[in-house]
Amino acid sequence: MNPTPAADIAGACFPGPRSENETWVRGQFQAVLDQWFDWRKRLFVDDPRLVGEGEPPSPERLGRREILSRELAALCEALTAETPTYTPRYIGHMKAEVSLPALFGWLAAMLHNPNNTSREASRVGTVIEAEAIAMLATMIGYDPGAAEGHFTSGGTVANFEAVWRARYRLDHWLSLGLYIAEKTGEPLDVFAAAHMGWARFRRLWTEHGLSDAVLRRYSAAVGAPADIWRRIGRASGRDYLGPVLLAPGNKHYSWSKAANLFGLGEESLWAIDLDAEGRLDVDDLERLIVRAEAAGRPVLMAVGVAGTTETGEIDPIDAVHDRLERWEADRGVHIWRHVDAAYGGFLCALLGGPDETVLSAASAAALRAIGRADSVTIDPHKLGYVPYACGAFLTRDTAGYAVSAFDAPYLDRPELGDGKWSSTLEGSRSAAGAAATWLSGRALGFDPAGLGALIAETVRTRQAFEAAVAAAVPEVRFLQPADANIVCFSVAAQGESLSSANRRTTALFDRIHRSPEFSVSKTTLGADYAAAVARHVDGFGGVVDVPGLVLVRCVFMNPYWAAPEFRDALFPPFIALVRESLGQDLEAAA
Ligand SMILES: *Cc1c(COP(=O)(O)O)cnc(C)c1O
């Protein structure tokens, strides 16, 4: 086999494309079970047994066992109809083989079924969670001693966690502003109050001798929101329409859900324009902030995306921070900055190592800046190769993690115990994902020598795929540039109209979809991507005669691509499939 570190990781830390590691994996499973049974058998040795030692089970019990084995076999058999996503032939969605550290960690924890809702319910699981969060924090550039966070069921909930906290903070600041305005009769500047920052908040708090009990009466999160908003309107001299949430047009659907869930209304989700390369346009972000200020509406948070769901694009996170830190320094306007790194967060593992150069300098700079954000979403169940359901939410510091309706953060209230339950949207939470992430961090490493080397190779595979397909089939038009290991393409002849190219791209997708050999996905870039669509169509001198661009989407996250054998073995049949589809197309047209 190939001796590169990435190929070694793929070969040693995954089951193997041909189940090469079967024997060793069985042994590890057995070792985990041995430990579990030994642990149980050592405890409570005088308790009753349900079957005497050496005694055969009764016919009734044997009958039940028989049913169970039969149905278990039926379940396993039924599951073989799942799409095989462990193979590199699967390039459809953000799903691939799970790693062995993750699988073993998940299994070992799951046997104990710890519930990380509280330290009492999960004495070990909660410690493992804290350590795993510290590993992720280090990787994304947070100070692990200061950062906070927890595991969620996925990126969607992690994004909700961010909105929950940003709302808590904004509600505190605006409540104080309303208090002062009502007390002094001075007009309320909603925008200035809602972004005042903790330093100013604490100064005014002391100056006015405030207490939680008093401020509660000014909080829309505690009181009747309609009443508080009416009072904000009266104090500011204009109708108060509530906060806006700024997220780029390339955002994941979970942001629409978040706006809905937190009662913002669709109108309050303002889309930041994308540039011609499909990334957040910082100038437009600033325009929207100015517009919000003019409308007397606070900005609940500004979201940047590191690794967009559709195309893997990495927004200029560094430029977003530069711009918003200026608002803080010059105007005292503190806007919550969140990075949705659900997909791309693990690309940070290759920063600082020799493989960093597979990323563009702009992407590397953007990833390096993730640690400047107030909060971050990252999904171990994507590029962390951890089983579902495992997302994570992190904040830079304890202040950013605080959440409650209004009272001092639950975190500071010892009577509630040291569990996370009061500061997580979810209640009961399995420790299995945390354990899977923990063991991955320990055995694989979230750094350039570990996971970083492997992910770098998936990016190289995407580059090699583009080169091979473009050379063989000139009508294939890649969406440029790709930032990570996802690539999208359409088929178009020189000068072809977009509607016609869309038809042929759809036909190509259908052809690949019918083939048992490969799985790809399909996406349509719509109005949010207008500039990128125009640029793409311009690339083949085409005409934009319909609004959406249909693309075949390929996600090269499978670990086995690290072995060059797979490129040699699988690129040619893929290219043949594309050629055949286009040929059929010509015949159909003739
Ligand atoms: C996948 C994804 C999400 C949602 O994560 P789930 O784990 O599916 O809930 C959010 N944001 C981005 C950018 C994603 O890629």
Side-chain angles (χ1 to χ4, degrees):
M1 291 294 280
N2 192 288
T4 68
D8 284 338
I9 290 169
C13 295
F14 290 83
R18 304 292 306 281
S19 301
E20 295 90 323
N21 290 322
E22 176 183 358
T23 310
W24 184 70
V25 172
R26 283 179 189 276
Q28 297 303 301
F29 266 57
Q30 193 62 50
V32 171
L33 285 172
D34 287 349
Q35 181 97 39
W36 185 60
F37 277 118
D38 287 347
W39 170 71
R40 297 168 62 109
K41 284 191 290 191
R42 278 198 311 271
L43 294 167
F44 316 116
V45 289
D46 296 326
D47 280 2
R49 304 178 57 95
L50 293 189
V51 181
E53 216 151 353
E55 194 182 299
S58 67
E60 289 73 19
R61 291 181 190 186
L62 280 176
R64 291 203 172 271
R65 271 194 191 172
E66 209 171 290
I67 294 170
L68 176 53
S69 343
R70 192 180 64 228
E71 296 304 322
L72 173 61
L75 174 65
C76 292
E77 173 60 28
L79 285 168
T80 62
E82 286 288 0
T83 304
T85 52
Y86 70 87
T87 160
R89 291 171 178 274
Y90 181 85
I91 44 177
H93 292 282
M94 296 166 162
K95 183 165 191 275
E97 182 86 302
V98 298
S99 77
L100 292 177
L103 188 59
F104 296 160
W106 189 91
L107 176 72
M110 194 275 293
L111 289 175
H112 294 267
N113 198 28
N115 182 349
N116 274 5
T117 188
S118 73
R119 211 148 258 201
E120 192 179 74
S122 178
R123 272 186 289 189
V124 180
T126 49
V127 176
I128 288 173
E129 174 168 31
E131 291 181 7
I133 288 292
M135 294 175 190
L136 295 177
T138 303
M139 180 182 70
I140 61 172
Y142 275 161
D143 169 3
E148 292 274 356
H150 61 269
F151 285 85
T152 64
S153 66
T156 298
V157 171
N159 286 341
F160 295 172
E161 296 277 8
V163 179
W164 196 26
R165 284 160 172 85
R167 192 193 61 163
Y168 161 87
R169 193 178 86 167
L170 189 137
D171 181 67
H172 262 63
W173 297 350
L174 190 51
S175 300
L176 183 60
L178 178 60
Y179 166 83
I180 293 171
E182 288 192 348
K183 194 177 140 190
T184 62
E186 277 167 28
L188 168 65
D189 181 340
V190 173
F191 189 85
H195 301 111
M196 68 171 67
W198 284 120
R200 183 167 163 74
F201 176 87
R202 277 190 288 272
R203 200 167 61 243
L204 292 170
W205 171 278
T206 313
E207 230 169 76
H208 290 266
L210 274 162
S211 69
D212 273 335
V214 170
L215 219 46
R216 286 174 71 87
R217 301 202 295 269
Y218 300 83
S219 157
V222 173
D227 174 49
I228 303 292
W229 285 25
R230 191 182 44 77
R231 281 161 55 195
I232 292 172
R234 207 167 48 205
S236 66
R238 67 198 294 186
D239 285 347
Y240 177 56
L241 299 180
V244 294
L245 199 162
L246 308 184
N250 58 23
K251 68 186 179 300
H252 185 262
Y253 188 66
S254 51
W255 291 103
S256 307
K257 291 182 184 171
N260 188 322
L261 198 58
F262 285 87
L264 289 179
E266 277 174 37
E267 183 277 334
S268 310
L269 183 55
W270 289 8
I272 307 163
D273 279 351
L274 303 180
D275 63 19
E277 299 187 339
R279 303 190 202 93
L280 179 154
D281 176 344
V282 186
D283 289 332
D284 192 56
L285 166 62
E286 191 152 34
R287 273 193 293 276
L288 293 181
I289 295 170
V290 170
R291 188 181 306 165
E293 179 173 26
R297 302 182 70 176
V299 175
L300 182 54
M301 60 162 51
V303 179
V305 183
T308 63
T309 315
E310 294 309 317
T311 65
E313 233 60 20
I314 296 169
D315 284 338
I317 307 296
D318 47 336
V320 170
H321 290 315
D322 290 347
R323 206 60 76 93
L324 294 189
E325 281 165 6
R326 265 217 317 267
W327 278 74
E328 288 176 13
D330 300 350
R331 308 235 352 240
V333 170
H334 296 255
I335 293 172
W336 188 289
R337 293 174 256 145
H338 179 78
V339 178
D340 184 353
Y343 186 70
F346 280 96
L347 289 166
C348 293
L350 53 87
L351 293 178
D355 289 324
E356 186 182 310
T357 50
V358 299
L359 302 170
S360 69
S363 291
L367 293 169
R368 266 210 177 82
I370 291 179
R372 289 158 68 189
D374 292 285
S375 57
V376 174
T377 287
I378 179 168
D379 264 350
H381 68 203
K382 287 178 179 165
L383 279 180
Y385 303 96
V386 164
Y388 297 118
C390 187
F393 170 74
L394 291 92
T395 62
R396 191 180 51 231
D397 52 35
T398 313
Y401 195 60
V403 68
S404 77
F406 197 80
D407 291 327
Y410 283 124
L411 287 175
D412 300 339
R413 296 171 62 195
E415 74 272 20
L416 295 173
D418 53 4
K420 293 255 187 209
W421 63 271
S422 53
S423 44
T424 59
L425 283 173
E426 294 163 280
S428 295
R429 292 180 308 117
S430 168
T437 306
W438 184 92
L439 195 56
S440 303
R442 299 283 292 218
L444 198 53
F446 301 142
D447 54 27
L451 194 60
L454 186 71
I455 295 178
E457 219 44 55
T458 68
V459 179
R460 283 199 186 98
T461 303
R462 185 269 300 163
Q463 292 165 344
F465 175 81
E466 272 184 51
V469 175
V473 198
E475 282 204 343
V476 166
R477 315 283 175 168
F478 286 99
L479 189 70
Q480 299 282 4
D483 287 344
N485 53 15
I486 301 176
V487 74
C488 297
F489 64 85
S490 65
V491 286
Q494 194 62 30
E496 188 169 354
S497 70
L498 181 55
S499 56
S500 164
N502 280 349
R503 266 194 305 278
R504 294 207 297 140
T505 306
T506 304
L508 172 60
F509 169 79
D510 291 342
R511 175 68 192 88
I512 302 171
H513 193 64
R514 278 197 311 275
S515 150
E517 280 190 82
F518 295 96
S519 291
V520 295
S521 53
K522 189 176 71 169
T523 188
T524 302
L525 301 186
D528 284 324
Y529 283 90
V533 171
R535 181 174 184 263
H536 182 77
V537 175
D538 223 40
F540 55 83
V543 190
V544 179
D545 57 344
V546 283
L549 167 65
V550 176
L551 295 164
V552 172
R553 174 171 166 269
C554 305
V555 182
F556 287 96
M557 66 180 280
N558 189 285
Y560 304 128
W561 287 115
E565 289 88 334
F566 273 101
R567 298 178 200 173
D568 299 341
L570 297 184
F571 286 177
F574 187 90
I575 288 167
L577 195 58
V578 172
R579 276 218 177 105
E580 183 206 306
S581 166
L582 297 182
Q584 279 177 352
D585 225 46
L586 289 178
E587 279 164 25

